[in-house]
Amino acid sequence: MGNEPSHPALDPEDWSKLRQLGHQMLDDMFDFQQSRLEGPVWQPIPDEVRQGFQSPLPADIQTADQVYQRFKDEILPYSTGNTHARFWGWVMGNGTPLGMLADMLASGLNPNMGGGDQVPNLVELQVIDWCRQMFDFPEGSSGLLTSGGSVANLIGLAVARHHGADFDLRRDGVAAAPKPMTMYGSQEMHSSLDKAVELLGLGLNHLRKIEIDDRFRISTEALRRQLEADLAAGFQPIALIGCAGAVNTGAVDPLDELADIAEEYDLWYHIDGAFGALAYLAPELRDRLQGLSRADSLAFDLHKWFYLPFEIGCTLVRDEQVHRSTFTLRPDYLHEGARGLSGGKRWLSDYGIQLTRGFRALKAWMAFQVHGVELIGNTIHENVLQAEYLAELVEASPRLELLAPVDLNVVCFRYRPDELDSDKLDEVNEEILYRLHESGEAVPSGTHVRDRYALRCAVTNYRSRRSDFDALVEAVERMGKQIELEAD
Ligand SMILES: *Cc1c(COP(=O)(O)O)cnc(C)c1O
């Protein structure tokens, strides 16, 4: 053994230097956040930057200042861009400056949120309970904060499968099912539900994708037909999945009617409300989600339409016993103590897949108190008004076409002037999307709506103003015309 080092190995040799760098980082990130009303939304990655990320495992040590400089030069300018006022691609939140600070505090404190008698656990339990109250779930419901909606859906469906099995599923697995178990949802379901059903061993064929009506909502008639056919054919229907805000168009299934059907057929009722559920916070929008609080499990994200930084989602479960018995597992080394740190009544590792968990609860706990549900609800309502405004701009333009009704905050549209052949439309619109991204003017994403290529804006952006949507429409028309000219 050599001499013992004069300071703990990974602590800084000179605290005052790291402190100074830390203050610099904080100032820089405030500047970054403050500047996100202007400048390019996204920028293509220069080749030399891309190559810089293929270097081998570092042998030579650099200073924190040097590596931070690389962050500023090579990482910060070439990120997703969802912090910007003109970002509406896929479904992403901006992240708040307060959330950024909370994540720093959480990382600095670095508690393990698997369990134990410590206040950070109480913070998460309180956040879950506040979520329960905000969605009018009954007292005694349980829940878990997750990495996002995908895992929130997986947990909800895992509880559903456990609940639906009248044999020892945990010991014997799905292979022991006397009849194949089936789940039901609309064709517009999010891909994370496909993945969940695959992982749960049910097989994708047993996730019945029911046809939709002209407003992209599940057809309850077709659903009933499928349920009856499956029962007659010897399947065991166990769960019904409702979409509160389908990812493609924002369509909301008839949630109340689905709750009735779930009762009638004795199905677990899971709602995927990744972004849409949050519209419940706006009194003006609540009617559109009638039936939401009747779910047995509800999955939603706080990093989309609650605007927190990634990652944070949540599953709420009406029946705490079923939730817990799906996941609880206590080997000797995780024994719950009578006293001391290993005490504490509720271990969050009993409610999900992870043992070690991060303190993502803190940013939500702070947001609930500093911003409040009312302000967030108002901001969500403003986003819906902005989506409706964009839809009006599209409908007012002779060169643009709306491709789906706007139920919440998602607008699907395309460039479609009279003179353009319809077989060219997909190609031209896809090209418009790339030019929007590459010029940094705006970031919608692309999708297909009833087999037509669509530019798609999901407005979960608290920084957007109406002028940003004016600019988008102007850019789409300008780029469309330009592409037509180039083709001539
Ligand atoms: C985004 C989304 C998900 C997945 O959530 P992640 O947070 O991305 O894991 C699931 N369902 C819907 C409707 C979504 O929009």
Side-chain angles (χ1 to χ4, degrees):
M1 292 285 282
N3 290 336
E4 196 171 34
S6 59
H7 65 92
L10 301 182
D11 274 338
E13 204 170 330
D14 181 347
W15 280 92
S16 67
K17 270 181 77 181
L18 189 65
R19 181 182 295 255
Q20 205 181 358
L21 177 64
H23 289 174
Q24 186 61 51
M25 288 173 170
L26 202 55
D27 276 339
D28 291 344
M29 288 321 283
F30 277 125
D31 286 345
F32 172 74
Q33 292 274 342
Q34 258 188 306
S35 69
R36 299 304 280 161
L37 298 173
E38 270 117 44
V41 184
W42 178 85
Q43 302 184 77
I45 307 171
D47 283 343
E48 59 283 10
V49 170
R50 199 181 290 277
Q51 277 154 20
F53 289 86
Q54 288 161 10
S55 54
L57 183 67
D60 297 329
I61 294 313
Q62 298 185 55
T63 65
D65 293 83
Q66 286 171 320
V67 177
Y68 177 58
Q69 193 57 47
R70 267 199 82 193
F71 167 83
K72 280 210 297 191
D73 296 343
E74 298 176 36
I75 299 177
L76 183 139
Y78 308 110
S79 180
T80 315
N82 51 307
T83 45
H84 195 285
R86 291 187 188 169
F87 187 99
W88 309 292
W90 304 276
V91 192
M92 301 188 200
N94 306 93
T96 58
L98 180 72
M100 167 184 93
L101 296 176
D103 270 349
M104 185 199 70
L105 300 180
S107 182
L109 190 60
N110 198 30
N112 186 333
M113 302 296 289
D117 202 22
Q118 48 160 343
V119 171
N121 259 344
L122 304 183
V123 171
E124 178 156 345
L125 289 169
Q126 180 157 57
V127 165
I128 292 166
D129 199 56
W130 286 346
C131 290
R132 173 190 76 72
Q133 292 173 40
M134 113 187 152
F135 288 121
D136 291 323
F137 263 52
E139 226 170 291
S141 304
S142 56
L144 189 74
L145 297 183
T146 65
S147 53
S150 301
V151 171
N153 277 328
L154 174 62
I155 287 178
L157 295 193
V159 179
R161 183 188 64 161
H162 183 69
H163 176 258
D166 45 14
F167 54 95
D168 192 340
L169 175 84
R170 289 187 64 173
R171 192 191 58 201
D172 298 331
V174 284
K179 297 172 177 179
M181 296 187 282
T182 47
M183 296 188 177
Y184 301 78
S186 95
Q187 283 170 348
E188 294 288 296
M189 267 185 299
H190 190 264
S191 58
S192 60
L193 292 157
D194 292 30
K195 286 195 188 180
V197 165
E198 291 171 12
L199 282 170
L200 291 170
L202 300 188
L204 204 47
N205 274 345
H206 297 107
L207 177 61
R208 311 295 200 208
K209 297 189 176 174
I210 308 298
E211 65 193 68
I212 48 173
D213 66 15
D214 57 352
R215 295 189 66 90
F216 299 87
R217 298 170 303 196
I218 191 169
S219 154
T220 50
E221 252 170 64
L223 171 63
R224 282 176 183 280
R225 275 200 304 276
Q226 183 72 50
L227 279 163
E228 291 299 334
D230 283 347
L231 285 168
F235 291 95
Q236 189 200 352
I238 58 167
L240 175 57
I241 301 163
C243 292
V247 63
N248 229 13
T249 65
V252 179
D253 283 341
L255 301 177
D256 224 10
E257 199 186 338
L258 291 187
D260 292 338
I261 295 174
E263 271 176 23
E264 189 182 327
Y265 287 88
D266 195 18
L267 306 171
W268 183 270
Y269 185 26
H270 176 80
I271 294 182
D272 176 10
F275 63 96
L278 280 301
Y280 199 78
L281 304 191
E284 301 87 345
L285 304 172
R286 190 164 288 186
D287 278 356
R288 304 187 195 182
L289 296 165
Q290 183 79 39
L292 186 80
S293 47
R294 293 177 67 190
D296 291 306
S297 51
L298 173 65
F300 55 95
D301 269 316
L302 296 172
H303 62 208
K304 286 178 175 173
W305 226 359
F306 203 82
Y307 311 106
L308 289 176
F310 304 138
E311 309 170 334
I312 182 167
C314 183
T315 316
L316 286 177
V317 180
R318 178 177 302 272
D319 186 334
E320 197 259 347
Q321 279 311 313
V322 187
H323 186 185
R324 188 186 168 89
S325 64
T326 305
F327 292 108
T328 185
L329 190 60
R330 290 297 188 92
D332 288 344
Y333 48 85
L334 295 177
H335 180 67
E336 187 179 299
R339 302 205 316 274
L341 175 57
S342 59
K345 282 281 159 281
R346 263 207 192 178
W347 283 35
L348 289 158
S349 56
D350 281 329
Y351 296 88
I353 301 156
Q354 282 181 277
L355 177 56
T356 298
R357 308 171 64 249
F359 195 15
R360 52 171 61 95
L362 187 64
K363 57 193 165 195
W365 187 77
M366 292 180 88
F368 271 116
Q369 298 173 86
V370 175
H371 306 310
V373 165
E374 191 181 324
L375 175 68
I376 292 176
N378 290 343
T379 312
I380 287 169
H381 185 221
E382 185 55 38
N383 283 160
V384 169
L385 295 176
Q386 288 168 338
E388 288 169 3
Y389 176 70
L390 173 58
E392 281 164 26
L393 293 178
V394 167
E395 296 210 286
S397 164
R399 309 183 74 78
L400 301 177
E401 179 188 21
L402 198 62
L403 289 177
V406 176
D407 273 356
L408 281 176
N409 59 334
V410 180
V411 184
C412 292
F413 69 104
R414 64 176 174 173
Y415 180 69
R416 191 199 182 183
D418 290 337
E419 69 272 12
L420 205 59
D421 291 345
S422 57
D423 60 334
K424 300 243 173 67
L425 287 172
D426 285 3
E427 203 183 312
V428 168
N429 278 283
E430 194 168 346
E431 180 62 23
I432 291 174
L433 183 83
Y434 299 143
R435 291 187 187 193
L436 285 168
H437 289 189
E438 283 163 356
S439 66
E441 288 185 66
V443 173
S445 52
T447 189
H448 284 88
V449 175
R450 297 199 198 282
D451 293 330
R452 298 170 189 151
Y453 188 88
L455 302 169
R456 173 180 163 286
C457 288
V459 188
T460 50
N461 188 325
Y462 68 87
R463 290 194 170 120
S464 301
R465 302 143 300 185
R466 295 209 172 188
S467 55
D468 293 312
F469 298 96
D470 295 330
L472 170 69
V473 165
E474 184 277 319
V476 169
E477 293 190 342
R478 166 168 40 83
M479 289 172 179
K481 280 183 207 153
Q482 182 63 35
I483 295 164
E484 281 187 75
L485 279 177
E486 290 167 17
D488 284 345

